[in-house]
């Protein structure tokens, strides 16, 4: 049954505890009074819970015959979940918690009522008059400050991942409006402060966005803006005019800008920095393509290509050389790959080809090629050493396919040393078959002296 004593809150007490809830806890209360107050609050909460518990949750109950009886055991019928009135039915007409909208008031200050959507249940609803509802997502146009805040992180992340499609997708989602062209100028600005590889990525990005998100006219406006801003850009980046000139030349070569772009400026430019940029672009474009390939205007063209691709190209140029014997053509091909830091791969592949070849032709031809590259400085001592060292390290594996690899290697190394292609130290570190081998080891019992 019910508890007795001070906690027996029922009947008459119920109305009383409503007011109690709103009173501040009185500072002069004795601990007993305080405890009593807290107990009353707990009891009130419990009663609330009981009232809304599962027994009453179905507001319609079935009669014995199975028909629905309206109202169940709640006096007011169905409880509307969205009703803002007190569920206890004891609202006191005070404003709601937000302080707006008690009885008969207008609502919160500054609140604007939206146009009501037509409601199909409304007796005045006329389906024909409504027409088809078209929902269009409207992205607000970015102003200049926001533009920079939005675009800069996109470009900086692109410098990390290098995926132009990702940038294209992000640009689609922005409403750049009249400022669209500034995407290019912001990217150019960021790359001027960055590294050569960032400038290469930016040139590629402009090329990939052309005709998709940006037009030639947009690009021209962006470059025009950059030319005008050179006096400020120079403060942070003294090289800016030269770099912008390179960007211009590359953009024209990539057809990002119209061929006639430079002509528009002839005799119309007072700013010395802009003139320097335009002149550099003109010079780069007038030079023969063999001397300067504009897709390597940033000096990092090859490094961004996958290694597998480079290795294939190197093997191809070596094979072609073995057929044609043209050193100059091989040299041109190697230069075109633009990966001086990867020339050790060429040395490595050349030696492996010698080891796998039949007869002496390859030995002499490859020595001649390496000698020429060494003399012209195309292969540095450090790249030469790395190439040879890699073959030294792999000789045991190579011997499994080429049983005489050791003796061919020694012949080649001696020849290269005599023709001053390699250092004495590199010749001396060539692995020799130091221990005497048994005939059964498959090399015919040859023993090194």
């Amino acid at each position: 049954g019910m508890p007795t004593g001070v906690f027996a809150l029922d009947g008459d007490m119920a109305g009383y505890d409503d007011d109690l809830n709103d009173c501040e806890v009185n500072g002069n209360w004795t601990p007993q009074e305080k405890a009593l107050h807290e107990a009353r609050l707990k009891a009130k909460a419990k009663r609330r819970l009981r009232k809304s518990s599962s027994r009453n949750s179905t507001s319609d109950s079935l009669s014995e015959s199975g028909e629905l009886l309206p109202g169940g055991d709640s006096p007011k019928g169905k409880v509307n979940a969205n009703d803002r009135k007190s569920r206890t039915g004891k609202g006191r007409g005070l404003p709601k918690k937000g302080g707006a909208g008690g009885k008969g008031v207008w609502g919160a200050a500054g609140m604007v009522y939206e146009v009501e959507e037509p409601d199909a249940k409304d007796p005045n609803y006329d389906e024909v008059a409504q027409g088809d509802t078209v929902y269009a997502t409207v992205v607000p146009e970015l102003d200049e400050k926001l533009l920079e805040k939005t675009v800069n992180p996109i470009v900086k992340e692109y410098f990390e991942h290098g995926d132009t499609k990702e940038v294209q997708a992000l640009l689609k989602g922005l409403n750049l409006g009249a400022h669209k062209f500034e995407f290019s100028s912001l990217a150019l600005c960021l790359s001027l402060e960055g590294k050569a590889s960032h400038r290469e990525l930016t040139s590629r990005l402009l090329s990939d966005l052309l005709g998709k998100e940006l037009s030639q006219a947009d690009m021209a406006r962006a470059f025009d803006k950059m030319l005008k801003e050179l006096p400020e850009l120079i403060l942070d980046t003294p090289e800016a005019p030269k770099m912008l000139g390179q960007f211009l030349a590359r953009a024209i070569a990539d057809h990002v800008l119209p061929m006639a772009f430079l002509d528009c400026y002839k005799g119309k430019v007072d700013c010395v920095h802009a003139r320097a940029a335009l002149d550099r672009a003109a010079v780069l474009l007038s030079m023969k393509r063999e001397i300067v390939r504009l897709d390597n205007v940033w000096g990092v063209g090859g490094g961004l290509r996958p290694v597998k691709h480079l290795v294939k190209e190197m093997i191809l140029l070596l094979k072609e050389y073995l057929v044609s014997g043209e050193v100059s053509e091989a040299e041109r091909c190697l230069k075109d790959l633009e990966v001086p830091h990867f020339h050790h791969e060429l040395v490595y592949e050349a030696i492996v080809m010698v080891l796998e070849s039949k007869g002496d032709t390859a030995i002499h031809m490859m020595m001649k090629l390496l000698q020429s590259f060494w003399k012209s400085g195309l292969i540095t001592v450090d790249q030469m050493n790395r190439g040879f060292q890699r073959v030294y390290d792999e000789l045991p594996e190579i011997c499994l396919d080429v049983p005489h690899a050791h003796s061919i290697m020694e012949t080649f190394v001696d020849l290269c040393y005599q023709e001053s292609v390699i250092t004495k130290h590199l010749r001396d570190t060539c692995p020799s078959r130091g221990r005497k081998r048994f005939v059964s080891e498959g090399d015919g019992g040859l023993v090194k002296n």
Side-chain angles (χ1 to χ4, degrees):
M2 286 296 292
T4 52
V6 288
F7 299 113
L9 287 174
D10 212 28
D12 313 330
M13 292 296 284
Y16 162 65
D17 94 37
D18 237 25
D19 308 323
L20 232 179
N21 199 12
D22 299 325
C23 298
E24 280 298 318
V25 173
N26 193 333
N28 310 329
W29 282 359
T30 63
Q32 289 91 332
E33 284 173 317
K34 213 168 174 184
L36 178 61
H37 175 69
E38 276 158 16
R40 279 179 182 150
L41 292 185
K42 273 191 192 130
K44 181 181 177 188
K46 259 203 187 119
R47 269 204 320 289
R48 277 238 167 101
L49 202 74
R50 273 208 303 275
K51 230 180 207 163
S52 59
S53 80
S54 55
R55 274 181 308 135
N56 299 346
S57 60
T58 51
S59 53
D60 292 326
S61 53
L62 292 167
S63 72
E64 261 110 51
S65 62
E67 292 161 34
L68 264 178
L69 293 181
D73 41 17
S74 80
K76 295 241 176 84
K78 208 165 192 175
V79 175
N80 178 2
N82 296 329
D83 193 357
R84 298 288 299 270
K85 287 202 291 290
S86 157
R87 296 280 167 85
T88 56
K90 286 206 184 78
R92 290 169 301 165
L94 298 174
K96 292 199 288 279
K97 282 215 177 74
K103 281 187 181 160
V105 289
W106 281 97
M111 184 171 162
V112 179
Y113 291 93
E114 283 139 35
V115 181
E116 284 198 6
E117 286 292 324
D119 178 5
K121 294 195 182 89
D122 183 344
N124 299 322
Y125 178 81
D126 175 4
E127 199 171 350
V128 184
Q130 296 308 332
D132 288 338
T133 311
V134 178
Y135 294 100
T137 315
V138 178
V139 183
E141 193 176 313
L142 294 178
D143 62 3
E144 279 189 77
K145 270 212 181 80
L146 255 176
L147 181 81
E148 206 165 321
K149 256 195 182 151
T150 313
V151 168
N152 284 1
I154 294 178
V155 175
K156 282 179 179 158
E157 275 170 25
Y158 165 67
F159 289 164
E160 299 297 318
H161 61 66
D163 182 359
T164 56
K165 285 201 171 62
E166 169 104 357
V167 181
Q168 200 188 319
L170 290 170
L171 264 185
K172 259 200 175 71
L174 297 177
N175 179 2
L176 300 180
H179 298 293
K180 194 178 218 176
F181 76 96
E182 287 188 53
F183 177 83
S184 303
S185 47
L186 286 169
L188 288 164
C189 266
L190 281 175
S191 70
L192 290 182
E193 298 159 17
K195 298 196 280 251
S197 58
H198 296 160
R199 292 188 273 285
E200 169 60 28
L201 284 166
T202 303
S203 285
R204 287 186 188 195
L205 180 60
L206 297 186
S207 170
D208 284 2
L209 290 176
L210 182 77
K212 298 187 182 85
E213 292 306 306
L214 296 162
S215 64
Q216 265 196 348
D218 290 327
M219 299 291 188
R221 277 185 76 187
F223 274 100
D224 193 53
K225 183 176 186 290
M226 294 292 286
L227 284 163
K228 291 193 173 75
E229 283 176 6
L230 275 174
E232 291 95 77
L233 292 172
I234 244 172
L235 304 175
D236 290 329
T237 316
E239 298 277 89
K242 177 184 138 195
M243 287 180 190
L244 189 58
Q246 286 172 206
F247 266 123
L248 278 166
R250 169 76 175 265
I252 291 168
D254 287 349
H255 305 293
V256 167
L257 288 173
M259 282 312 230
F261 183 82
L262 297 179
D263 302 340
C264 317
Y265 292 91
K266 279 203 178 114
K268 293 180 190 164
V269 181
D270 298 327
C271 169
V272 53
H273 306 306
R275 265 217 299 272
L278 293 160
D279 289 348
R280 180 164 184 89
V283 168
L284 285 173
L285 286 165
S286 67
M287 285 165 88
K288 289 199 174 62
R289 290 292 279 170
E290 290 83 75
I291 302 171
V292 56
R293 289 173 67 237
L294 285 173
D295 46 349
N296 192 40
V297 77
W298 303 117
V300 290
L304 291 162
R305 273 173 292 177
V307 170
K308 263 187 196 156
H309 169 80
L310 292 168
V311 174
K312 269 189 191 147
E313 296 273 333
M314 285 180 180
I315 292 173
L316 188 67
L317 81 86
L318 288 169
K319 283 183 173 163
E320 282 175 354
Y321 164 71
L322 285 178
V323 173
S324 72
E326 286 179 26
V327 175
S328 58
E329 177 60 17
E331 183 166 342
R332 192 189 66 77
C333 291
L334 183 59
K335 276 183 177 160
D336 276 358
L337 290 177
E338 288 148 352
V339 280
H341 58 281
F342 198 52
H343 285 177
H344 61 84
E345 177 66 31
L346 182 101
V347 177
Y348 169 84
E349 297 295 350
I351 303 170
V352 171
M353 270 185 202
V354 167
L355 296 181
E356 290 174 348
S357 66
K358 305 266 183 289
D360 291 345
T361 330
I363 291 186
H364 285 278
M365 284 186 77
M366 286 306 191
M367 181 279 295
K368 275 259 178 295
L369 187 69
L370 292 180
Q371 184 183 45
S372 165
F373 288 173
W374 165 248
K375 282 184 174 160
S376 69
L378 193 56
I379 293 179
T380 62
V381 64
D382 142 76
Q383 293 288 318
M384 192 71 84
N385 287 347
R386 274 185 73 183
F388 271 83
Q389 192 56 54
R390 281 176 58 196
V391 182
Y392 290 176
D393 296 343
E394 285 178 29
L395 262 180
E397 285 82 66
I398 296 171
C399 279
L400 299 176
D401 297 325
V402 185
H404 295 296
H406 264 286
S407 49
I408 302 171
M409 187 73 197
E410 279 163 19
T411 311
F412 187 65
V413 167
D414 285 339
L415 180 65
C416 284
Y417 174 65
Q418 283 158 25
E419 298 288 340
S420 46
V421 176
I422 61 172
T423 62
K424 182 174 191 302
H425 178 260
L426 193 57
R427 183 198 68 175
D428 295 345
T429 49
C430 179
S432 60
R433 290 160 298 171
R435 62 192 183 84
K436 284 196 166 26
R437 295 188 168 201
F438 299 107
V439 178
S440 65
E441 283 189 53
D443 56 2
L446 296 168
V447 174
K448 186 175 164 57
N449 306 322

